[in-house]
Amino acid sequence: MPKVKSEKTSRQHKLIAKQGILFNKDFGQHILKNPLIIQAMVDKSALRPTDVVLEIGPGTGNMTIKLLEKAKKVVACEIDPRLVAELQKRVQGTSFQSKLQIMIGDVLKTELPFFDICVANIPYQISSRLVFKLLLHRPFFRCAVLMFQREFAQRLVAKPGDKLYCRLSINTQLLARVDILMKVGKNNFKPPPKVESSVVRIEPRNPPPPINFTEWDGLTRIAFIRKNKTLSSAFKQNAVTATMEKNYKVHCSLNNIDIPEGFSMKDKVENILKVNNFETKRARTMDIDDFMRLLHAFNVEGIHFS
C-alpha cells in the first residue's frame, strides 16, 4: 500500500511541475531534473550520516530527498512559498519529515544556521554574493558543492594571466580551494537556462589567511577596475586617491600623527608603488602573494582600504 501512495504522490508532483506553475523567472528557478547529476553532486559532497546539510533553492525537492537519505538533517532555504508547500507535501508522512527543516526567505538576507556541507543548484543571479556569504560564515563548514553558470565557475578557478582572471578569482582563492567537478548541459534543467553550467567544489581555508578581508577586498577592487592597466594608472584616479586620503586622515587622527603641509596622497601612493616595485605591475598578472605584499606595503605607511 505505501508504494501506491508514493506513486500517487510522485504523479501529482510531476503533474504540478508539468503545469509550469513552479518556475519563477524572478527567482532564477531552473529545476535540475537529471537524477544522475543530482546523485553525482550528492556523492561528490562526501556526506557523513552525522552531517547537517544546507541546501539553497531546493526547488521541487529532487536533490533534497537524496540528501535526506544520507545526512542527519537537511536545512533547505527557499524563497518561494509555493515550492515550500510542494517540498513539505513531498516529505509528509515519511521518515524524512523530522530530518527536514525549511527556512523560508531570501538566503542573502537570512542568517545561516550551523551546517557541515552545502549542496545547491542556486539561482545564478546571486552566485557572487552567495559565495562570499558562505566563505565569511562562521563556524567553518567542510565544503560546498554548487551549480554555477559555466563562465562564473571558470572565473572562480582562473589563474593570473588567464583571460577570465578577475577580482572574483583572487578573492575566492584567498579564502578557499576551488575545483570544477563537472560540466552540465542546459538540457538537464527544466526550463532549460540560456547558459551552460558547471558544478564546483569549494573548500574554505581553515584557518583563514591572517588578513583583514574588508581591506583586501577594498584593495583588489581598485586594482581590478582596469585589470590591464598598470597599478600606477589605477591608483592615480581622482576618486581613488580622494577615498584613500580620507582614510589616511582618519588613521592619522586616531594615532596622533601630524600630516605635513602640502601633503599629496598621489605622491605618497606613487612612492609606495615605486619603492616596492609595483608601479608597472598589472592586476591581471598578480597572484595572492603579490597582493598580500602590496596591502602590507600600504598598511605600513598608514594607508587602509576599509
Side-chain angles (χ1 to χ4, degrees), residues 7-17 86 89:
E7 283 172 3
K8 188 182 172 189
T9 310
S10 179
R11 275 203 309 275
Q12 287 173 338
H13 169 70
K14 282 176 184 168
L15 183 66
I16 292 167
E86 183 65 17
K89 232 185 290 177

Side-chain angles (χ1 to χ4, degrees), residues 52-54 112-118 134 137 139-142:
V52 174
V53 185
L54 174 69
L112 297 178
F114 167 83
F115 62 97
D116 299 291
I117 299 280
C118 178
L134 289 173
H137 176 72
F140 282 97
F141 57 95
R142 208 160 66 245

Side-chain angles (χ1 to χ4, degrees), residues 243-254:
T243 304
M244 290 173 75
E245 187 165 339
K246 188 179 162 192
N247 287 351
Y248 180 67
K249 284 178 175 173
V250 169
H251 168 80
C252 290
S253 165
L254 292 172

Side-chain angles (χ1 to χ4, degrees), residues 58 74-78 83-85 87-88 91 100-104:
V74 174
V75 181
C77 194
E78 178 54 65
L83 294 185
V84 169
L87 195 52
Q88 284 170 331
V91 297
L100 177 64
Q101 178 191 338
I102 302 176
M103 294 172 66
I104 306 170

Side-chain angles (χ1 to χ4, degrees), residues 65-82:
I65 297 297
K66 292 291 178 189
L67 294 170
L68 286 164
E69 287 171 2
K70 296 259 189 181
K72 177 185 171 186
K73 179 183 178 184
V74 174
V75 181
C77 194
E78 178 54 65
I79 198 170
D80 189 340
R82 298 168 310 154

Side-chain angles (χ1 to χ4, degrees), residues 221-234:
R221 194 179 292 272
I222 295 166
F224 277 97
I225 287 172
R226 295 180 183 143
K227 66 175 184 176
N228 296 320
K229 299 277 186 187
T230 62
L231 288 187
S232 177
S233 167

